[in-house]
Amino acid sequence: MPITVTAPAGVLTAAGEREILPRLSAALIEASGATGNSFFTAIVGGTVHILPLDRIYAGGANRPVVMVELKLPNIGLATNEAREAFITAATTIVAEYCVPGHKPENTWINILNAPDGGWGIGGRQYSGEALVAAAMAAA
């Protein structure tokens, strides 16, 4: 379940650039109720993209927005409560890893869901039912 962090250069601390993705991964696993599940943990990963400030826009102007995009199968974070838990945790994590002065309105969290059967790992297509079965088998 890919997590993509996009941030302007100089907004995340050096520790933040290294540690934000493991912390966001743990937050996703926890919000999903899958802490300790080896299958679920193994399919959470992502990338951190650090771009020049002049490549990040909001409101039509350069702005130091840190964007966290989460891509999930349609069964991921299935309730509003689970989505809220991840958004709250992710916003807190971003704030911890940004330089002083980063404004909360410059942290954006976006959760995208793939349609059923639109998820693949290692060349295998997974339905939501198959993902749940694999996670339950690992529990």
Side-chain angles (χ1 to χ4, degrees), residues 6 8 86 133 135-136 138:
T6 305
F86 178 77
M136 296 300 288

Side-chain angles (χ1 to χ4, degrees), residues 47-116:
T47 55
V48 177
H49 303 268
I50 306 298
L51 301 176
L53 177 59
D54 67 356
R55 301 286 173 100
I56 297 182
Y57 292 83
N62 291 122
R63 199 164 115 198
V65 176
V66 176
M67 298 177 209
V68 176
E69 184 174 86
L70 177 58
K71 295 177 184 139
L72 300 170
N74 64 340
I75 59 163
L77 299 177
T79 66
N80 277 334
E81 293 78 16
R83 289 186 290 273
E84 181 180 14
F86 178 77
I87 289 169
T88 299
T91 301
T92 299
I93 291 165
V94 169
E96 290 174 13
Y97 287 123
C98 282
V99 297
H102 179 75
K103 297 177 182 175
E105 62 268 21
N106 286 331
T107 298
W108 296 6
I109 313 296
N110 189 18
I111 300 170
L112 306 171
N113 290 105
D116 194 38

